[in-house]
Amino acid sequence: MTQTQVEFILIRYGELALKGKNRKKFEDQLAQNIRTTMSGLNIQVKRVFGRMYVYLNGEDYHKVASKLQKVFGIKSFSPALKSELDVEKIKETALYAIQRLPQKPHTFKVNTRRPNKSFPYASAEMNRHIGAHILVNTEDIKVDVHDPDVEVLVEIREDAAYIMSEKVEGSGGLPVGTSGKAMLMLSGGIDSPVAGYLCMKRGLRVEGVHFHSYPFTSERAKQKVVDLSQKLTQFVGQVKLHVVPFTEIQTEIKKHVPEEYSITIMRRIMVRITEKLAELNRAKALATGDNVGQVASQTIESMHTINEVTNYPILRPLVTMDKLEIIDIAKSIDTYDISILPYEDCCTVFQPKNPKTKPTRKQANRFEERLDLAQLIDNAVEKTEVLRLTPETQGETKEEEHHKAINDLF
């Protein structure tokens, strides 16, 4: 084993460090989420006295680090290099730790911890030895003990010394699963996957709900939502997607509801169905990609009329953002290119020419009396298809899409 190998990664917490007596619960969830995200890799996660370590056991550091950066609840992390319990070896490894940084620092300080009390040098002595070695063997760098560009952490344990100099930023937020569960209404557009991402960042476990109106909408439109859901698995390891057959309901709306109210009634029924799925799956909230003023169903009057049909909280994390902010996040989480694929969803296919922008609850209730709502909703919930997605299923899905594309040619 050489000194250049990363042995483990030190995890630093974000907000969960402030959770007082509940901190252990949050740490346990974070450890479980890391294990789930690293499924298939031979790593170990250990929590020790308020710190967490990921032991690589020979796995590639860059592969593990890439996955860690997407786990919510991690503020930052540092790779640890291993050295023999020999002063000269420790100094060499510390120097290498400075030299391997992506950006050359102008200032540094050394901070030694010595759990191994039998080691013959005290922490302050080690700071001086290591600091001097770095100064002699590098150019244009000096010591700053108050505000250094880089802090070289040296931990002297019973088996070896471990040196850390690099600090990699994590995603922050709270571990997914610590804030309960929400049902996310996924249309296939740009906004709803971003809403799901932001919900997960606040610790919510998310299950997707997609309304599919085949043959008015194509199998490609459904596949697009499957692909978006799979992109969300990179932050939590697995996502459940409910695909609701919506053709019968949309046909009935078109027959019995004035065109300008069709979007309002459609959204109210979608909310009712999502609430039923929430009950069945023990979720306590609904989530949407709504944004004030973006389309007709996203005026305050529309939201007021739509909210009437559920007592569940409807989370709208994008409500104050402008479109460019949402697009920036969509690009950063790699959902944007999928969302802009030209496969229409059930909302756009049945989009009226002049949708009501200020619908009222009284009118909506009057039009809904023309529909057998209970039966329509029960049928849709009963026939809902459930897909369980993980990062590993992506290849199979792409392969199926490839076959569909070939079949479409004939």
Side-chain angles (χ1 to χ4, degrees):
M1 186 174 293
T2 69
Q3 65 176 10
T4 60
Q5 284 185 289
V6 176
E7 285 290 304
F8 64 82
I9 298 172
L10 170 66
I11 304 292
R12 298 182 185 84
Y13 305 144
E15 290 179 51
L16 67 91
L18 307 174
K19 295 302 179 184
K21 292 180 180 177
N22 292 321
R23 177 170 169 164
K24 182 179 181 304
K25 183 181 79 173
F26 282 75
E27 289 177 339
D28 288 345
Q29 185 66 61
L30 175 60
Q32 182 55 47
N33 291 350
I34 292 173
R35 292 187 188 99
T36 303
T37 305
M38 302 291 170
S39 177
L41 298 179
N42 183 32
I43 58 104
Q44 285 178 295
V45 181
K46 290 186 179 179
R47 186 167 58 84
V48 183
F49 304 118
R51 310 175 79 180
M52 196 173 292
Y53 299 97
V54 176
Y55 288 85
L56 299 190
N57 297 326
E59 296 286 357
D60 178 69
Y61 163 71
H62 297 288
K63 187 174 183 179
V64 174
S66 173
K67 290 177 179 287
L68 277 182
Q69 281 185 292
K70 295 170 183 169
V71 177
F72 294 122
I74 296 177
K75 182 174 185 296
S76 66
F77 58 86
S78 294
L81 303 175
K82 186 177 182 180
S83 166
E84 296 175 31
L85 283 175
D86 175 89
V87 175
E88 294 305 317
K89 296 288 186 186
I90 294 172
K91 285 158 57 177
E92 287 177 20
T93 307
L95 176 62
Y96 174 74
I98 285 279
Q99 292 171 332
R100 73 188 290 273
L101 291 173
Q103 290 186 325
K104 183 180 178 183
H106 298 293
T107 58
F108 78 102
K109 81 170 186 179
V110 180
N111 185 0
T112 302
R113 294 177 70 246
R114 195 171 60 109
N116 178 1
K117 299 302 180 189
S118 65
F119 191 73
Y121 296 91
S123 297
E125 286 181 279
M126 288 302 294
N127 290 344
R128 288 195 295 273
H129 286 307
I130 296 168
H133 187 69
I134 292 172
L135 285 172
V136 169
N137 291 281
T138 53
E139 295 180 351
D140 301 325
I141 189 169
K142 60 184 180 181
V143 174
D144 182 344
V145 296
H146 300 293
D147 186 24
D149 294 339
V150 170
E151 184 175 16
V152 180
L153 299 172
V154 180
E155 196 164 292
I156 298 174
R157 300 189 191 178
E158 296 292 335
D159 63 323
Y162 297 92
I163 293 95
M164 292 161 272
S165 61
E166 185 179 2
K167 184 184 284 189
V168 182
E169 293 299 315
S171 294
L174 296 172
V176 173
T178 55
S179 300
K181 187 196 290 184
M183 306 302 284
L184 170 68
M185 297 169 72
L186 266 174
S187 68
I190 296 171
D191 299 345
S192 49
V194 174
Y197 165 80
L198 293 175
C199 284
M200 289 194 287
K201 187 170 184 177
R202 293 311 304 161
L204 282 160
R205 194 172 298 285
V206 165
E207 293 189 13
V209 179
H210 176 63
F211 295 88
H212 187 48
S213 293
Y214 184 81
F216 299 119
T217 55
S218 68
E219 286 297 312
R220 294 290 191 85
K222 175 184 168 184
Q223 184 61 47
K224 181 177 165 184
V225 175
V226 171
D227 291 344
L228 288 170
S229 301
Q230 264 173 332
K231 286 294 180 185
L232 295 179
T233 66
Q234 64 186 312
F235 304 103
V236 66
Q238 55 188 358
V239 168
K240 200 164 149 185
L241 174 64
H242 305 262
V243 182
V244 182
F246 207 56
T247 309
E248 183 184 6
I249 291 173
Q250 287 203 294
T251 303
E252 288 299 297
I253 291 173
K254 192 170 179 58
K255 280 184 190 173
H256 300 291
V257 174
E259 186 179 277
E260 70 269 21
Y261 257 85
S262 60
I263 289 292
T264 304
I265 302 303
M266 184 185 74
R267 294 283 293 182
R268 283 164 59 104
I269 295 175
M270 285 178 170
V271 166
R272 289 183 175 102
I273 291 173
T274 306
E275 182 186 278
K276 281 224 165 193
L277 293 173
E279 290 173 2
L280 293 170
N281 291 277
R282 299 179 181 177
K284 300 299 182 190
L286 316 184
T288 78
D290 286 344
N291 178 275
V292 169
Q294 194 176 111
V295 296
S297 64
Q298 295 177 0
T299 62
I300 289 296
E301 289 82 1
S302 285
M303 291 181 189
H304 177 259
T305 301
I306 291 165
N307 278 22
E308 184 189 23
V309 302
T310 182
N311 288 319
Y312 275 54
I314 300 180
L315 307 179
R316 297 179 168 98
L318 311 186
V319 74
T320 62
M321 290 185 179
D322 65 41
K323 195 67 180 182
L324 292 178
E325 289 176 298
I326 298 168
I327 288 174
D328 284 346
I329 297 175
K331 288 180 177 176
S332 73
I333 63 175
D334 202 23
T335 57
Y336 179 76
D337 288 343
I338 299 173
S339 291
I340 61 173
L341 290 173
Y343 307 130
E344 293 181 313
D345 59 39
C346 63
C347 297
T348 51
V349 166
F350 287 87
Q351 180 74 31
K353 289 181 180 175
N354 298 299
K356 195 78 173 175
T357 56
K358 295 183 179 181
T360 66
R361 292 182 171 187
K362 183 178 178 182
Q363 285 285 69
N365 281 305
R366 190 161 67 84
F367 296 136
E368 284 177 351
E369 288 175 0
R370 302 173 182 176
L371 303 170
D372 186 354
L373 277 180
Q375 188 62 50
L376 287 170
I377 291 170
D378 285 348
N379 286 346
V381 171
E382 186 181 339
K383 294 174 182 173
T384 293
E385 178 187 8
V386 180
L387 304 175
R388 290 175 173 78
L389 305 169
T390 67
E392 287 71 33
T393 59
Q394 189 166 9
E396 296 171 18
T397 307
K398 291 292 183 188
E399 189 176 348
E400 289 169 6
E401 184 183 33
H402 177 67
H403 290 313
K404 285 189 180 73
I406 292 175
N407 290 334
D408 287 349
L409 295 174
F410 299 93

